[in-house]
Amino acid sequence: MDMPGNEVVSACARAAANKEGALTMDSPTADGWHKVCALDAIPQLGARVVKTPDGPVAVFRNADDEVFALLDRCPHKGGPLSQGIVHGRKVTCPLHSWNIGLDDGNAVAPDHGCARRFAVKLDSGIVFIDLENAVVQ
């Protein structure tokens, strides 16, 4: 039986079959948002990677079920932020332990740098990302 949201589940199933485990996105809606997956497809305190024309984007979920999206590259040495530890509204890079703010992409002092941030929204438990309006601090 088809239920609302099954197309999202199938998108996540396609991601599971992808060699890198990266999610694939649907075409953008009329207002530019790309459907990524169901919120439950992103582990709490974890991330999933979405393949985009700009490179891999890490979509994070914190303990409060807030969702954030950053280019999957630490501003320090390019480490994969998606493999870091999510705590509160930050992620710790797995290479050199830089803390990056999930809500703004900025490195936490005393470090300096910024990861490209993308707008995300939740709608009925579905995660959407806006790739056209990346926010650079």
Side-chain angles (χ1 to χ4, degrees):
M1 172 195 327
D2 284 334
M3 299 183 70
N6 276 353
E7 65 278 0
V8 174
V9 173
S10 65
C12 291
R14 286 193 309 269
N18 186 321
K19 286 182 185 176
E20 295 83 28
L23 296 172
T24 56
M25 294 182 305
D26 290 343
S27 297
T29 60
D31 56 356
W33 291 94
H34 294 264
K35 188 186 308 179
V36 177
C37 67
L39 176 64
D40 290 341
I42 305 168
Q44 267 193 332
L45 301 178
R48 295 294 303 267
V49 176
V50 179
K51 287 185 174 183
T52 76
D54 294 327
V57 171
V59 181
F60 299 92
R61 177 181 176 193
N62 70 8
D64 296 326
D65 290 334
E66 294 176 298
V67 180
F68 308 90
L70 300 174
L71 192 62
D72 193 21
R73 202 162 81 194
C74 180
H76 177 226
K77 298 276 185 177
L81 294 174
S82 61
Q83 295 176 26
I85 297 171
V86 176
H87 48 100
R89 296 177 126 221
K90 297 180 186 77
V91 61
T92 300
C93 178
L95 294 186
H96 301 102
S97 299
W98 274 38
N99 288 310
I100 308 297
L102 292 171
D103 52 356
D104 61 10
N106 287 318
V108 176
D111 299 319
H112 298 282
C114 186
R116 187 172 176 196
R117 181 173 60 95
F118 298 88
V120 293
K121 70 176 181 177
L122 278 175
D123 186 6
S124 301
I126 307 301
V127 178
F128 291 84
I129 186 171
D130 181 358
L131 297 175
E132 298 301 318
N133 298 305
V135 181
V136 180
Q137 300 278 325

